[in-house]
Amino acid sequence: MRKVWVMSVTFAMLILLISGCSSNGQTKKQGEAKKEITVRMMADPDYLDPHKATASLTFQMLLNVYEGLMKPTPNGGVEPAVAESDKISKDGLTYTFKLRKGIKFHDGNPVTVDDVKYSFDRLTGQSGGAPLSDLSQIIKSVKTPDQETIVISLKKAYSPFLSQLTAMNAAILEKSNDSKQNTHPIGTGPFKFVEYKPQNKLVLEKFADYWDEDLPYLNKVTFSYQPDDDAASLSVKSGNLDLSGVTANKVDEVKTNNNIIEQNNNAVFLMGFNNDKKPFNDERVRQAISYVVNKDDVIDAAFSGHGSKLGSNMSPAMGKYFNKDLVDYYQPNIKKAKALLKEAGYGNGFSMTITVSSHNKVYSEAAQVIAEELKEVGIDAKINVIEWAKWLDDVYKKKNYEATIIDFTGTISPFEMLSRYQTNDPSNMMNFSDSQFDSLMKQAMKENDDDQRASLYKQAQKVLTEKAPAVFICDYQTEWALNKQFTGFKQYPIYYLDMAHIKPAN
C-alpha cells in the first residue's frame, strides 16, 4: 500500500523561434503553441510495472500512464477514474463499483471487469504468484456479478480503503498484456507509453481515446534523464528542459524564461535507524541522537532553509491530522544526549554508518551535517553513498543498514503516513515495533468518525516521537521552474507530476 518516496524533481525550457526549432528538437512554426514538453527525470524508474514499483519518482511519471478505480485530486481526496461510481456498505466491509462506460486501454481494447479482477488478483496473490501489495491483508474477495459491476469485500473495516485504489497502489492493468507489464506498459491514463531508454529518457504521447475528452492538452511528454542538479539547472536556463525542480540558489538564474512555483511536498525527510541492530535497538540511543541533531542546520544545508521542521512522521500539509505539539519535542541538548548514551552503556560513543543514495545530493549534505554534530557525543558516523537502485535493494528491501537518510513521500491518507511503522507492515523498513502504536493504528483503521481518527493519529504520532525510530527532520519545499510557454501546473499532496492539465500558455 505504500511506496518509498524520494523527492527528486525538475524541468524547464524555451524555444528557438528564429530557427523554427525548439532546443529539444521539436519543429514548429513561429507563434504556434508548443505542445511537446521535456521534463527532468532525476533517476530511472525502478519498474515500469506499477504493481512492482516502489520508488516515488517512478509514480511521479507513471501516474500519467496508469489509473486505478480512483484517482487522486489536488486537495488530497480521490475521485472516480476507471470506476464511474462507488458505494460503501454501512458496515464498511463491502465496496461496489460501476465500471466507467466506454473506457479503453491504450491499445484500443475496452476495459472489462475481468481486467479489474485480474489486477486485484495479481496484487493480492490470488492469481498464483506472491502478493505484490499489502492489500492482500485487507481484501477478502473481488467479484464481478455482471459486465459493469465490481464488488470488493474486505476482511475487516478499513476506513482509508478508497485512498488505496489509485494507480499508486492498485493500477488497473490489461489481462492480455500479462507477460509484458514491465516492458510494454498499457494503462488507461491520459498518456500512453512510447519508449524507455535507461539513463536516457522515458517518452509518452497523448492517448486520443482518453475517457475525459478534454484532456490531455499536450501531444508528447519526454522525461529526460539528468541526475546532476547543476547540469539540470543549465538545461533549464538554456531551454532544454521545460519543467524541473531547481535548488533555491538557482532560482534567480532561471526565472527570466520560467515561472517559479513553490510547492510544499507533504514529505517526511528523516534519518531512520534499523531498530533491530545494536545499538539502535535501544530507544535511549535513538533518543540521544534526536537530541544531538539540529534540524535547522540540516534544513539550511540541504534545502537552503526551505523546510518546515517536523516532530513525527506527519507533515503540516495534513492539516487537522498533524500534531503540531511535537515539533520542538527534541531541542538540541548535548548534556541530555550524553546522559542517555551513558545510561544505555555507550558513554564513550560508538561507530556507525549512514547509508544514503547518490541520486539526490540532499541526502549526502544532510548526512555530512549530522555526522559532524554526532562527534560532540563521541559518535563516529561514516557516510556510505550508494546508487539509488542499490539503496532500494539493500536498504529498503533487505534492510541491510544501520542508519539512512531518506524522505517518505506524502499520501492522501493520514493512516498511510503512519502505518509503515506497524510491527508487521511490509513497508516497515526500520523494523520498529511498539504495541501501543499498533493498538492506536488498529483503532484508527476501524473508526468511522473522522475527528476521532484525527485524535488517534495524533496519539500515534506522539508514540513515534517518544520512541524515536527515526530523527524526523522536515517537510521540504520544492521550487519548480516551468517554461513560460506552459501553464496549468497542478499541485498534489503526493509525488505526481500531472501532465494532463499542463497546456500551452497561448
Side-chain angles (χ1 to χ4, degrees), residues 414-440:
F415 183 90
E416 283 297 292
M417 293 288 288
L418 299 170
S419 60
R420 69 169 62 249
Y421 294 93
Q422 294 177 112
T423 299
N424 296 319
D425 193 286
S427 298
N428 185 356
M429 63 171 282
M430 295 177 208
N431 292 314
F432 178 69
S433 181
D434 183 83
S435 59
Q436 183 186 2
F437 180 83
D438 291 346
S439 176
L440 288 166

Side-chain angles (χ1 to χ4, degrees), residues 13-14 236-237 254-259 482-485:
M13 121 108 231
L14 249 179
V236 170
K237 187 177 180 180
V254 303
K255 66 182 182 181
T256 300
N257 297 317
N258 297 276
N259 289 315
L482 176 63
N483 189 325
K484 288 183 178 179
Q485 296 185 58

Side-chain angles (χ1 to χ4, degrees), residues 86-96 152 154 156-159 445-449 453:
D86 61 272
K87 183 179 180 181
I88 308 172
S89 64
K90 289 184 179 180
D91 61 9
L93 293 174
T94 305
Y95 289 70
T96 303
I152 302 179
L154 306 187
K156 53 190 174 183
Y158 183 66
S159 56
M445 183 171 61
K446 298 175 182 178
E447 180 57 62
N448 290 323
D449 183 87
R453 283 202 304 270

Side-chain angles (χ1 to χ4, degrees), residues 301-367:
F303 304 107
S304 300
H306 292 261
S308 302
K309 285 191 293 185
L310 301 181
S312 191
N313 203 88
M314 187 78 73
S315 161
M318 295 301 288
K320 65 184 285 186
Y321 307 107
F322 173 67
N323 191 337
K324 65 180 183 300
D325 296 333
L326 303 174
V327 171
D328 294 320
Y329 188 92
Y330 290 104
Q331 294 278 13
N333 189 327
I334 299 302
K335 183 177 179 180
K336 197 165 189 176
K338 286 182 175 179
L340 282 165
L341 288 173
K342 184 177 181 180
E343 184 181 325
Y346 297 95
N348 295 322
F350 56 87
S351 296
M352 63 178 285
T353 300
I354 305 173
T355 303
V356 299
S357 171
S358 63
H359 82 279
N360 193 326
K361 65 182 182 181
V362 296
Y363 307 121
S364 295
E365 290 170 341

Side-chain angles (χ1 to χ4, degrees), residues 21 32 37 71 88 92 109 134 144 171 178 191-193 219-220 226 234 242 281 306 332 365 377 429 470:
C21 293
E32 180 182 330
I37 192 168
K71 67 175 184 176
I88 308 172
N109 290 330
D134 51 355
T144 54
D178 182 66
F191 291 93
K192 61 183 181 180
F193 172 81
N219 293 331
K220 183 180 179 181
Q226 295 202 31
L234 289 173
D242 296 307
N281 59 340
H306 292 261
E365 290 170 341
V377 292
M429 63 171 282

Side-chain angles (χ1 to χ4, degrees), residues 114-135:
D114 289 338
D115 294 307
V116 176
K117 181 170 172 51
Y118 155 79
S119 299
F120 280 99
D121 285 350
R122 188 172 187 258
L123 283 165
T124 59
Q126 296 302 308
S127 57
L132 299 176
S133 164
D134 51 355
L135 283 171

Side-chain angles (χ1 to χ4, degrees), residues 203-481:
V203 181
L204 311 178
E205 68 180 16
K206 178 178 181 176
F207 178 38
D209 289 329
Y210 185 53
W211 57 266
D212 186 338
E213 295 179 355
D214 295 329
L215 299 174
Y217 298 100
L218 301 177
N219 293 331
K220 183 180 179 181
V221 179
T222 300
F223 291 96
S224 176
Y225 179 80
Q226 295 202 31
D228 183 78
D229 285 340
D230 292 334
S233 295
L234 289 173
S235 293
V236 170
K237 187 177 180 180
S238 66
N240 287 319
L241 283 175
D242 296 307
L243 176 59
S244 175
V246 293
T247 54
N249 63 335
K250 298 291 184 181
V251 167
D252 287 342
E253 295 180 18
V254 303
K255 66 182 182 181
T256 300
N257 297 317
N258 297 276
N259 289 315
I260 305 301
I261 304 162
E262 188 171 277
Q263 179 179 16
N264 290 316
N265 290 293
N266 188 26
V268 177
F269 187 83
L270 53 77
M271 180 169 75
F273 307 111
N274 189 335
N275 288 223
D276 269 356
K277 289 193 174 185
K278 291 183 178 182
F280 307 109
N281 59 340
D282 190 324
E283 68 182 62
R284 293 169 296 185
V285 172
R286 305 193 301 265
Q287 291 165 346
I289 294 176
S290 295
Y291 279 117
V292 173
V293 176
N294 186 315
K295 298 175 185 179
D296 289 317
D297 290 346
V298 177
I299 294 169
D300 286 342
F303 304 107
S304 300
H306 292 261
S308 302
K309 285 191 293 185
L310 301 181
S312 191
N313 203 88
M314 187 78 73
S315 161
M318 295 301 288
K320 65 184 285 186
Y321 307 107
F322 173 67
N323 191 337
K324 65 180 183 300
D325 296 333
L326 303 174
V327 171
D328 294 320
Y329 188 92
Y330 290 104
Q331 294 278 13
N333 189 327
I334 299 302
K335 183 177 179 180
K336 197 165 189 176
K338 286 182 175 179
L340 282 165
L341 288 173
K342 184 177 181 180
E343 184 181 325
Y346 297 95
N348 295 322
F350 56 87
S351 296
M352 63 178 285
T353 300
I354 305 173
T355 303
V356 299
S357 171
S358 63
H359 82 279
N360 193 326
K361 65 182 182 181
V362 296
Y363 307 121
S364 295
E365 290 170 341
Q368 289 165 13
V369 171
I370 292 172
E372 190 63 30
E373 292 177 341
L374 288 174
K375 291 178 181 178
E376 293 189 66
V377 292
I379 297 176
D380 178 22
K382 294 180 173 58
I383 301 170
N384 178 30
V385 182
I386 59 177
E387 292 184 353
W388 172 232
K390 185 171 176 57
W391 186 94
L392 284 171
D393 189 50
D394 289 357
V395 177
Y396 184 68
K397 294 179 181 177
K398 295 178 180 176
K399 304 176 185 178
N400 182 23
Y401 74 102
E402 292 183 324
T404 189
I405 296 177
I406 195 62
D407 51 304
F408 292 139
T409 25
T411 75
I412 52 182
S413 163
F415 183 90
E416 283 297 292
M417 293 288 288
L418 299 170
S419 60
R420 69 169 62 249
Y421 294 93
Q422 294 177 112
T423 299
N424 296 319
D425 193 286
S427 298
N428 185 356
M429 63 171 282
M430 295 177 208
N431 292 314
F432 178 69
S433 181
D434 183 83
S435 59
Q436 183 186 2
F437 180 83
D438 291 346
S439 176
L440 288 166
M441 294 301 290
K442 286 178 181 177
Q443 293 177 60
M445 183 171 61
K446 298 175 182 178
E447 180 57 62
N448 290 323
D449 183 87
D450 192 46
D451 288 336
Q452 288 297 318
R453 283 202 304 270
S455 175
L456 291 166
Y457 292 142
K458 288 180 179 179
Q459 293 175 60
Q461 290 169 61
K462 187 177 181 182
V463 173
L464 291 181
T465 301
E466 293 171 345
K467 298 296 182 179
V471 179
F472 302 102
I473 299 172
C474 71
D475 178 10
Y476 52 87
Q477 297 165 335
T478 297
E479 308 288 333
W480 292 95

